[in-house]
Amino acid sequence: MKRYIILALCTVMLLGQAVQLAAQKADWKVGIQTWTFHNLTLMETLDKTQQLGMGYAEAFFFQELGAPFPKETYLNYDLSDDNCALLRHEFKIRGIKPIAFGVASYGTNEEWDKFFAFAHKIGAHIVTVEPELNQLDYIESLAKKYDMEVAIHNHPSPCIYASAEVVEKALKGRSPLMGVCADIGHWKRVGEDPLKNLQKLSGRIKVAHLKDLTDKMEDATWGTGILPVKAFVNELKRQHFNGLISIEYDDFKSDIQEIRNSLEFLQKCSK
């Protein structure tokens, strides 16, 4: 039994190394969008991410942190200094970088200030957001203040950014720090062509929520569903994309082997 456990651990380590090497060759990063494991604590999510061999995380707010944090402590910008230090430590000991936070939406400038300051304090380089259109000037000023990349995400309607055309217009003339979090699955769900949208937003993509879907619009292992995932990967390579590919399952069940299979597919496409 011990031999099989060791072999299994070696397989996971080799897959993780292969994925990261392929990512380095393609000049992008591969990580988890922690929403995938939203039924777990963040610490449990980071353990799963480590098991999968990924070194980056895009963390959503209001997930319970879990031990060693006090019970009912949630990821948010109002964490105490001690808890912020502990959070950085928990990421570090697992070899995972908190590269991004989001997807965030706030009603006031004060909330946006606190969000950006927290992301900077923890060490993020990207925030994924869905601000109101009239908030974009202020968001851009914060991006410049913290030298933080901003990636506008596209949830389905009533999100104002459901259509790539709206995002394209919203970013026109703005700082290179301002860009897109391209959620492939949501574009398909609202009837848009994800590949054409990637092409339309070339040069502005900071984060890609890469997905595959069944014909019922549910999550599928990459390469087994109805979406041309390999074509998406090739398009990102064509653009010399150097941002974050986030693995996000909207309704993940329990078997992380499905995620391993998706990572293996990505590794093959990245060669």
Side-chain angles (χ1 to χ4, degrees):
M1 177 62 73
K2 184 177 179 180
R3 179 185 177 189
Y4 289 121
I5 292 173
I6 293 172
L7 286 172
L9 289 172
C10 289
T11 300
V12 171
M13 291 176 62
L14 288 171
L15 172 59
Q17 291 171 1
V19 170
Q20 295 306 325
L21 285 172
Q24 290 171 14
K25 184 178 179 181
D27 206 25
W28 57 53
K29 304 163 189 68
V30 180
I32 195 76
Q33 168 39 273
T34 57
W35 175 260
T36 300
F37 299 115
H38 63 271
N39 291 323
L40 305 177
T41 67
L42 179 58
M43 296 303 101
E44 290 169 331
T45 297
L46 295 183
D47 289 340
K48 296 280 190 186
T49 304
Q50 186 182 40
Q51 290 170 29
L52 289 163
M54 288 186 287
Y56 297 92
E58 176 192 358
F60 80 98
F61 273 20
F62 308 117
Q63 184 176 18
E64 186 170 1
L65 296 180
F69 294 87
K71 191 174 181 180
E72 295 187 358
T73 302
Y74 298 88
L75 182 63
N76 199 11
Y77 56 58
D78 59 2
L79 285 179
S80 68
D81 288 343
D82 285 347
N83 279 335
C84 283
L86 180 57
L87 182 62
R88 289 193 298 268
H89 173 73
E90 293 297 326
F91 273 102
K92 185 176 181 179
I93 62 174
R94 292 172 174 83
I96 300 169
K97 294 180 180 180
I99 191 172
F101 287 103
V103 177
S105 297
Y106 296 108
T108 67
N109 288 351
E110 181 183 7
E111 290 171 304
W112 283 115
D113 282 332
K114 292 178 178 179
F115 173 65
F116 271 80
F118 174 84
H120 178 74
K121 185 176 185 178
I122 301 301
H125 298 290
I126 309 167
V127 290
T128 51
V129 300
E130 287 182 357
E132 297 295 331
L133 289 171
N134 61 10
Q135 294 178 322
L136 284 174
D137 288 346
Y138 193 70
I139 297 296
E140 185 172 0
S141 73
L142 291 174
K144 293 175 180 177
K145 177 181 178 179
Y146 291 102
D147 192 26
M148 184 85 65
E149 291 190 307
V150 172
I152 298 175
H153 182 266
N154 56 290
H155 273 114
S157 180
C159 172
I160 55 177
Y161 303 107
S163 172
E165 184 177 354
V166 174
V167 183
E168 183 182 31
K169 289 181 180 179
L171 291 172
K172 188 174 182 180
R174 295 196 178 273
S175 165
L177 290 170
M178 302 288 287
V180 179
C181 174
D183 193 304
I184 302 299
H186 288 329
W187 274 333
K188 181 64 177 178
R189 289 176 177 126
V190 299
E192 296 203 350
D193 185 325
L195 184 57
K196 288 183 179 179
N197 284 351
L198 286 177
Q199 295 165 345
K200 180 184 296 186
L201 296 167
S202 178
R204 285 287 191 179
I205 299 170
K206 309 294 186 182
V207 180
H209 285 183
L210 196 60
K211 296 176 181 176
D212 205 347
L213 301 175
T214 69
D215 55 6
K216 294 181 179 180
M217 300 294 113
E218 297 173 347
D219 295 319
T221 301
W222 298 355
T224 67
I226 63 173
L227 295 180
V229 180
K230 186 173 183 179
F232 301 151
V233 174
N234 286 339
E235 175 58 24
L236 292 173
K237 286 196 289 188
R238 185 195 67 79
Q239 294 181 24
H240 301 289
F241 173 69
N242 63 356
L244 173 69
I245 292 181
S246 260
I247 293 183
E248 182 187 40
Y249 280 69
D250 294 306
D251 187 26
F252 186 71
K253 305 304 180 185
S254 61
D255 186 4
I256 64 171
Q257 183 58 46
E258 182 175 347
I259 297 179
R260 289 197 184 102
N261 293 341
S262 290
L263 285 170
E264 288 174 357
F265 183 80
L266 176 62
Q267 189 257 330
K268 291 175 183 176
C269 292
S270 303
K271 292 180 178 179

